[in-house]
Amino acid sequence: MGRSMDLQKRFLPGRLKAASSITPVGNEDNSSSMPEVDQPANWKEVLDGIRKMRSFEDAPVDSMGCEKAGSSFLQRSLGAIQRLHQNGMLAPDVIENVDEETIKKLIYPVGFYTRKACNMKKIAKICLKKYEGDIPSTLEELLLLPGIGPKMAHLVMNVAWNNVQGICVDTHVHRICNRLRWVSKPVTGKETSSPEETRKSLQLWLPKDEWVAINPLLVGFGQTVCTPLRPRCEMCSINHLCPSAFKETSSPVSRTKKAGRVKGSV
DNA sequence: GTCCCGACAC
DNA sequence: GTGTCTGGAC
């Protein structure tokens, strides 16, 4: 139906090109004016270094084990979307009528499938009722959808609407920006404690023309090199610019400190 | 056994 | 801020 076509077109490159004339609204135009706070030293060099590392990674497909590539969260997610697509389930009217168990089975590999299947049905219903089968086009309306938080709302604004309201900060962007000391709490200067805090701090100085690119860049980097548990600092080309390099390489025993654990026996 | 992607209830 | 939802990687 026409409705499903509209929704799918939303994510096609052609549409992005057509929508590229839309001027980003929101803050001032960062490309010409000075940032409100000092930019971290060498931030451009750091970003360039990460870009280079990412381009090496993408070159030969066989440089990365197939098992590993196939088991990544991204691969599983893409697989799930493909299966949804093949079953016509990117259209709200189809999603609304299909059995929830069917959706669960299709998205199973991505995890949290019970709640996601439930939210998919709720969102499909809302999109049909309030948005003529399309998705909301403002940040505020996206955030009202069940299961859609700041990370996903900004991602949709960036990718689907080409209307940059903010940076899409996920756990990788959050972690890496703190390791680089690119973000901090306003008064104390300590590291930020949530992705939302990171987003606000990062937006104070990062030029707006990097706001969209930073997410895929740091996500890829965070999955392969700057991993949450044991970052591969030895193979990182910008370790000489990172204040956290080689400081988290020991066994992650400290993370298991969960309140004493003084259970008498055992 | 421990940690993990993000949203949300508590 | 912390637990919960998930199966899987380590």
Side-chain angles (χ1 to χ4, degrees):
Chain A
M1 309 301 283
R3 280 175 173 171
S4 60
M5 282 309 293
D6 286 341
L7 203 56
Q8 285 165 33
K9 267 195 290 185
R10 186 83 59 231
F11 292 92
L12 291 177
R15 183 174 198 296
L16 296 187
K17 204 172 267 182
S20 64
S21 58
I22 298 174
T23 325
V25 257
N27 305 341
E28 71 296 336
D29 189 355
N30 280 6
S31 56
S32 56
S33 62
M34 291 294 288
E36 293 167 31
V37 299
D38 286 342
Q39 299 181 312
N42 300 320
W43 72 270
K44 281 185 183 173
E45 201 180 338
V46 169
L47 262 192
D48 280 348
I50 296 174
R51 277 203 183 91
K52 286 213 180 74
M53 283 186 270
R54 293 306 303 142
S55 64
F56 285 134
E57 184 80 31
D58 290 340
V61 181
D62 52 318
S63 71
M64 177 171 45
C66 283
E67 323 91 312
K68 194 165 185 187
S71 66
S72 79
F73 181 71
L74 177 69
Q75 292 295 318
R76 293 200 310 272
S77 303
L78 287 173
I81 291 169
Q82 218 165 50
R83 279 194 276 174
L84 283 170
H85 185 43
Q86 282 162 3
N87 286 270
M89 246 171 287
L90 296 184
D93 44 355
V94 179
I95 297 170
E96 197 197 19
N97 291 313
V98 81
D99 180 20
E100 199 169 308
E101 289 303 314
T102 308
I103 300 178
K104 275 196 204 175
K105 281 173 190 154
L106 290 170
I107 66 171
Y108 175 81
V110 302
F112 306 144
Y113 55 87
T114 304
R115 198 176 309 174
K116 283 177 180 174
C118 180
N119 284 336
M120 272 183 68
K121 294 208 61 137
K122 286 183 186 165
I123 289 175
K125 198 180 278 284
I126 294 169
C127 287
L128 286 167
K129 204 171 184 176
K130 288 184 65 181
Y131 303 102
E132 299 171 317
D134 207 333
I135 54 173
S137 61
T138 66
L139 193 68
E140 292 72 26
E141 288 172 304
L142 285 166
L143 287 169
L144 289 175
L145 299 173
I148 304 296
K151 179 245 168 185
M152 187 54 70
H154 281 105
L155 184 71
V156 170
M157 289 305 290
N158 290 177
V159 175
W161 292 108
N162 200 36
N163 180 350
V164 184
Q165 299 290 310
I167 299 169
C168 173
V169 174
D170 68 358
T171 186
H172 296 288
V173 176
H174 176 57
R175 178 183 68 257
I176 295 166
C177 285
N178 275 296
R179 281 179 178 166
L180 288 168
R181 306 269 190 276
W182 276 8
V183 292
S184 59
K185 281 190 192 288
V187 181
T188 62
K190 304 281 185 192
E191 59 178 73
T192 57
S193 44
S194 71
E196 260 303 87
E197 210 169 17
T198 297
R199 184 180 65 78
K200 287 170 187 158
S201 182
L202 190 58
Q203 287 178 185
L204 289 178
W205 66 265
L206 186 71
K208 209 163 183 176
D209 54 12
E210 297 281 7
W211 285 17
V212 176
I214 190 102
N215 177 273
L217 200 57
L218 294 194
V219 170
F221 181 57
Q223 286 173 334
T224 53
V225 180
C226 200
T227 51
L229 219 44
R230 290 166 193 249
R232 325 257 208 275
C233 298
E234 70 286 347
M235 64 174 283
C236 178
S237 70
I238 50 143
N239 57 21
H240 60 295
L241 298 172
C242 177
S244 307
F246 303 107
K247 291 190 177 168
E248 292 181 48
T249 48
S250 56
S251 61
V253 177
S254 57
R255 298 224 182 197
T256 322
K257 59 187 174 196
K258 293 274 182 191
R261 294 230 174 258
V262 196
K263 294 267 166 66
S265 60
V266 180

